[in-house]
């Protein structure tokens, strides 16, 4: 428990003063020591698998935002925005241990992938990312998604109660959807 002096709270690791924000108690200087905490107060090293997975989900969300920023307004941009919302839900699952990803999320990605692949020519070789900025960003988001998936797999060893069945399936499908989206924006 952090010490309290005249109504103020201090970090138990470094003595930094805690200050309240609109979102949560914020620790001034606490994270300077490589320690952070999950929702609920569990303190962990920043290199802990669950913290790495939450960070990977954050990075995936940012990469999806960069992709969405270059897409023309319309169904593809809206779809990427929905993927961003789902990555936030997965991050919340990892941080809280409460299931957030809707049950139909994996099936929705399966449908999206089938619809997209039906419009693409057969793949006849390896894809070299970078023919244009849109495809490069989609491929970059895809590889970040694969890394996030690996990070979530690592969490199962330390916090299996925070990895729900749909989460890994959803990340796996998302990387396939990103690959198909990149192919759709390749010059013909």
């Amino acid at each position: 428990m952090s010490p309290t002096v005249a109504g103020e709270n201090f970090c138990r690791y470094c003595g930094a003063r805690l200050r309240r924000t609109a979102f949560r108690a914020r620790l001034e200087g606490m994270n300077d020591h490589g320690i952070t905490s999950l929702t609920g107060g569990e303190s962990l090293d920043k290199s802990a698998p669950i913290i790495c997975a939450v960070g990977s989900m954050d990075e995936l969300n940012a990469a999806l935002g960069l992709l969405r920023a270059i897409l023309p307004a319309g169904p593809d941009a809206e779809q990427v925005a929905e993927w961003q919302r789902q990555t936030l839900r997965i991050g919340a699952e990892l941080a809280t241990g409460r299931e957030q990803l809707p049950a139909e999320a994996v099936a929705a990605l399966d449908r999206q992938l089938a619809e997209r692949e039906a419009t693409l020519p057969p793949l006849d070789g390896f894809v070299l990312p970078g023919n244009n900025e849109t495809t490069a960003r989609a491929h970059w988001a895809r590889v970040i998604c694969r890394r996030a998936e690996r990070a979530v797999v690592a969490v199962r060893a330390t916090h299996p109660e925070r990895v729900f069945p749909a989460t890994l399936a959803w990340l796996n499908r998302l990387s396939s959807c990103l690959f198909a989206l990149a192919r759709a924006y390749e010059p013909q």
Side-chain angles (χ1 to χ4, degrees), residues 57 60 64 79-90 93 101-110 112 145-146 148-149 164-178:
M57 294 309 301
L60 174 57
L64 290 170
Q79 190 172 71
V80 172
E82 178 59 23
W83 295 342
Q84 287 182 279
R85 286 187 284 277
Q86 302 296 29
T87 63
L88 290 173
R89 289 182 180 105
I90 292 172
E93 285 182 350
L101 193 65
E104 68 277 356
V106 176
L109 284 183
D110 284 335
Q112 293 166 13
C145 183
R146 288 289 189 203
E149 181 183 9
F164 297 94
T167 301
L168 290 171
W170 189 86
L171 287 167
N172 187 45
R173 299 301 192 293
L174 178 61
S175 64
S176 296
C177 286
L178 286 164

Side-chain angles (χ1 to χ4, degrees), residues 153-172:
V153 167
V155 169
R156 284 192 307 196
T158 58
H159 290 79
E161 73 284 358
R162 291 178 185 254
V163 179
F164 297 94
T167 301
L168 290 171
W170 189 86
L171 287 167
N172 187 45

Side-chain angles (χ1 to χ4, degrees), residues 22-38:
F23 296 106
R24 64 180 177 89
R26 188 174 172 132
L27 306 176
E28 294 177 356
M30 177 189 165
N31 294 341
D32 293 348
H33 301 288
I35 303 293
T36 192
S37 61
L38 294 173

Side-chain angles (χ1 to χ4, degrees), residues 122-129 131 139 142 179 183 186:
L123 192 59
D124 60 359
F126 288 102
V127 174
L128 185 63
N131 286 325
H139 281 293
R142 176 184 59 82
F179 183 77
R183 288 189 60 218
E186 287 288 328

Side-chain angles (χ1 to χ4, degrees), residues 9 14 22 45 57 61 72 84 92 94 97 114 116 120 131 168 175:
N9 293 322
C14 65
D45 191 88
M57 294 309 301
N61 197 342
Q84 287 182 279
L94 293 166
R116 175 79 64 191
L120 297 173
N131 286 325
L168 290 171
S175 64

Side-chain angles (χ1 to χ4, degrees), residues 4-51:
T4 301
V5 177
E8 291 191 50
N9 293 322
F10 295 88
C11 171
R12 67 177 176 231
Y13 295 103
C14 65
R17 184 178 59 83
L18 301 176
R19 106 186 121 114
R20 295 267 171 210
T21 67
F23 296 106
R24 64 180 177 89
R26 188 174 172 132
L27 306 176
E28 294 177 356
M30 177 189 165
N31 294 341
D32 293 348
H33 301 288
I35 303 293
T36 192
S37 61
L38 294 173
T39 303
E42 180 183 359
S43 294
L44 296 167
D45 191 88
K46 285 187 175 184
S47 65
I50 195 164
I51 301 303

